[in-house]
Amino acid sequence: MHRLDFHGWIPVRSFFRGGEIFIDWAYFGEQKLREPFFRDSVAIAMRLPFNQAFRRETSADEMVSWAAAHPGVAPTAFIFHASRCGSTLMSQMLAALPSHIVISEPPMLDSLLRAHYFMAGLTAPQQVAYVRALVIALAQPRAGENAFVIKLDAWDIFELPVLRQAFPDTPWIFLYRDPLEIAVSQVRQRGSYMVPGIVGPAQFLIDPNEAAAMSEEEYIARVLGQILAQAVQMLTHANGHAVHYNQLPVSMWSDLATLFGVNDVPASRQTMQQAAKWDAKNPYFEFVSDAESKQREATPRLRAFVDKWATPHYLALERLRTG
């Protein structure tokens, strides 16, 4: 495998067949990944006639062999988050810098991080090796980049120990905001993990019978509470950094600049400020803070569930952040 040329190719999918893990690759050439989510970049790449005509598939073991010979850019930082709290803004600001490779919520990494839930024969060292190789394969510079950041899915905070085994020295942050504002956003439009049975095997899942008896508001508040509680535990024991939504965007060119490998801060600040002007998930619109409107929109019922299940963990995060 290491004799094959994968320059310009990126893993885009992992899947299971016959008790083994396989990887699909797509050709990106020197194209930077500037879209808000990795899946959007893949959709664009797959429209290319070349990618429609040619498919490359390897086993996960072959990917490990190839990655060993092509170390790429060492991961600069990992972004974990509570959802709907500025993580896409953060990743888009970094993606605007020519120095940075930024991968936002790659689904195949999520699959490998949770592979131990549904592959009985997978050993812990195997899983760590596959996760490490996949991250290295994503870290290949295509236009002279020297920094590499991955934003993970909100529920992946439960899989942080696996990622830490693969990259024990890489800094990581947990980004969050007032859970009531997150919950209002989820009521407006629920993420997949806020709908019982969608995400699949995961540590945070609530018993299906119990979930069926809950209202939408209670389920959202309880899942959100579990994510915040896990973040508190990980920040306490795994040496991460708590970051509040209210610290954005200024912290990106001040407190967090070194952590994210931001060099030439004056020039980078100008680039990131320009990126921060726009709605991170819909760059055709200017960004407008919605914190006050979400506070007004919250119903007494939703407030009660959030206060019970999520607010105590939010306050614990605040204590960790502020000391």
Side-chain angles (χ1 to χ4, degrees), residues 100-318:
H100 280 62
I101 303 167
V102 180
I103 306 286
S104 182
E105 301 185 2
M108 63 285 187
L109 178 57
D110 172 62
S111 294
L112 291 190
L113 286 172
R114 292 188 297 123
H116 55 283
Y117 294 120
F118 40 85
M119 280 192 69
L122 182 68
T123 67
Q126 274 182 313
Q127 184 182 20
V128 170
Y130 294 159
V131 166
R132 182 173 176 79
L134 178 61
V135 170
I136 289 172
L138 292 170
Q140 301 301 309
R142 292 179 299 283
E145 302 94 334
N146 56 30
F148 175 44
V149 175
I150 294 184
K151 178 171 84 91
L152 293 108
D153 288 292
W155 58 89
D156 284 331
I157 187 64
F158 294 97
E159 317 309 332
L160 175 60
V162 176
L163 194 58
R164 291 280 293 170
Q165 288 182 61
F167 297 96
D169 300 323
T170 302
W172 64 277
I173 71 155
F174 183 78
L175 180 64
Y176 62 98
R177 68 189 292 183
D178 186 327
L180 185 64
E181 295 163 13
I182 298 173
V184 167
S185 178
Q186 292 288 352
V187 170
R188 287 178 182 173
Q189 184 176 13
R190 280 198 280 180
S192 59
Y193 65 102
M194 290 296 187
V195 180
I198 296 296
V199 167
Q203 187 176 339
F204 74 92
L205 291 179
I206 296 171
D207 178 82
N209 293 326
E210 195 177 359
M214 293 180 195
S215 66
E216 174 187 74
E217 293 93 338
E218 182 176 7
Y219 189 80
I220 288 172
R222 290 185 62 168
V223 170
L224 183 54
Q226 288 194 28
I227 289 173
L228 297 179
Q230 178 70 4
V232 171
Q233 184 177 352
M234 291 293 99
L235 287 164
T236 303
H237 300 291
N239 197 29
H241 304 264
V243 180
H244 195 285
Y245 170 80
N246 291 340
Q247 294 176 262
L248 297 178
V250 176
S251 62
M252 296 299 289
W253 52 79
S254 56
D255 305 2
L256 299 175
T258 301
L259 185 147
F260 281 120
V262 175
N263 297 316
D264 190 2
V265 171
S268 297
R269 171 180 177 168
Q270 189 174 21
T271 301
M272 289 192 288
Q273 277 181 313
Q274 183 64 26
K277 287 175 59 179
W278 305 100
D279 186 310
K281 294 178 180 174
N282 192 344
Y284 295 103
F285 297 95
E286 287 196 34
F287 170 77
V288 178
S289 175
D290 57 2
E292 290 187 10
S293 66
K294 285 177 176 172
Q295 290 286 341
R296 288 196 303 272
E297 187 176 327
T299 64
R301 178 186 176 88
L302 182 62
R303 285 181 183 277
F305 283 128
V306 170
D307 284 346
K308 179 178 181 179
W309 296 109
T311 299
H313 308 301
Y314 168 69
L315 296 177
L317 279 170
E318 283 292 85

Side-chain angles (χ1 to χ4, degrees), residues 50-111:
F50 181 88
N51 280 325
Q52 294 180 13
F54 297 97
R55 178 187 178 197
R56 299 187 80 172
E57 174 189 307
T58 66
S59 69
D61 288 322
E62 288 172 320
M63 179 177 66
V64 169
S65 298
W66 181 82
H70 301 80
V73 179
T76 305
F78 298 120
I79 300 173
F80 291 85
H81 57 93
S83 79
R84 317 293 170 90
C85 56
S87 60
T88 305
L89 169 66
M90 181 178 278
S91 61
Q92 285 296 91
M93 292 170 70
L94 294 169
L97 300 175
S99 55
H100 280 62
I101 303 167
V102 180
I103 306 286
S104 182
E105 301 185 2
M108 63 285 187
L109 178 57
D110 172 62
S111 294

Side-chain angles (χ1 to χ4, degrees), residues 6 9-17 21-28 38 42 46 51 54-60 63 108 134 137-138:
F6 271 75
W9 292 76
I10 298 178
V12 295
R13 185 172 77 107
S14 61
F15 61 99
F16 306 92
R17 185 174 63 207
I21 299 174
F22 291 86
I23 307 295
D24 272 344
W25 304 65
Y27 185 73
F28 283 72
F38 181 71
V42 173
M46 296 310 292
N51 280 325
F54 297 97
R55 178 187 178 197
R56 299 187 80 172
E57 174 189 307
T58 66
S59 69
M63 179 177 66
M108 63 285 187
L134 178 61
L138 292 170

